[in-house]
Amino acid sequence: MTSIVVPKEYGYVIAATASTFFLSFWHGLRIGSFRKQAGLGYPKAYADSSDMSAADSADKKKAMYLFNCAKRAEDNYHENHASVIAAMLIAGVQYPLTTTGLGVAWMVGRLVYAVGYTRKDKSNGEGRLAGSFFWFAQLALFGLTGWTGIKMVL
C-alpha cells in the first residue's frame, strides 16, 4: 500500500488551482462585455456569417469579430482547464513549488493569450501568440504529473 504525504507547501498548489477558477470567471465577464458591444443576444455562441452580413457598419462587424475572438479564447481556456487542474493537483503532491510556479505561468499565459486575441490592431487573432507560452507551462505540468506517478511506484 502506498500512502500519500501532502507537503506543507501543497497549500500553494491549492491556491494556484483555485485562482484558475477566478480566471475562468474573468473570461465570462469579458464575454459579456464583448457580446453587448456586438449586439448579440443569448443563446448565440458566436457571430456567424449571416450576423456579419447583416451588420449595419464596419464598427459593428468589428465588434462581432472581437466577440468571436474573445469567445474562442474562453473556449480554448475551458478545453485545457480540466487537464491542467488535474496535473497541478497530482504533480503538486511531489513538487509543490515547481507546480505552483508552472500553474502561475500557465495562468499569466492564458491571460495574455485572451487579451492578445482581442487586440483591435491585429488580424486573424494573431495577438494571441504573445501568450502562447502557456503551452510550455502546460506541457511541463503534464510531464511533471507523469514523473510524479513514476516516482510513486519506484
Side-chain angles (χ1 to χ4, degrees):
M1 182 166 130
T2 301
S3 61
I4 298 174
V5 178
V6 178
K8 177 179 78 170
E9 295 86 359
Y10 194 74
Y12 295 124
V13 176
I14 298 294
T17 303
S19 296
T20 68
F21 305 139
F22 292 103
L23 188 53
S24 178
F25 184 73
W26 173 80
H27 270 286
L29 291 176
R30 286 189 93 224
I31 295 301
S33 172
F34 280 99
R35 178 182 294 280
K36 185 176 181 179
Q37 291 172 21
L40 295 169
Y42 289 98
K44 201 148 192 70
Y46 286 93
D48 57 30
S49 57
S50 65
D51 295 317
M52 297 283 199
S53 297
D56 56 3
S57 69
D59 287 341
K60 186 61 116 181
K61 197 176 280 194
K62 182 72 167 186
M64 289 180 187
Y65 165 77
L66 291 174
F67 168 75
N68 283 352
C69 289
K71 184 69 173 119
R72 184 64 204 122
E74 180 198 38
D75 288 349
N76 186 270
Y77 178 82
H78 290 297
E79 290 162 7
N80 291 278
H81 190 210
S83 58
V84 168
I85 287 173
M88 288 174 67
L89 294 175
I90 294 167
V93 170
Q94 192 73 35
Y95 304 100
L97 297 179
T98 303
T99 298
T100 299
L102 289 169
V104 169
W106 184 81
M107 287 183 283
V108 170
R110 295 309 317 209
L111 190 120
V112 172
Y113 182 90
V115 170
Y117 216 146
T118 55
R119 284 185 51 179
K120 293 179 181 180
D121 62 331
K122 297 284 185 178
S123 59
N124 300 319
E126 290 173 353
R128 75 189 186 284
L129 299 176
S132 60
F133 64 86
F134 79 84
W135 287 114
F136 296 108
Q138 186 168 325
L139 185 60
L141 281 167
F142 293 168
L144 209 54
T145 300
W147 188 246
T148 298
I150 290 169
K151 282 191 77 173
M152 290 178 87
V153 296
L154 294 179

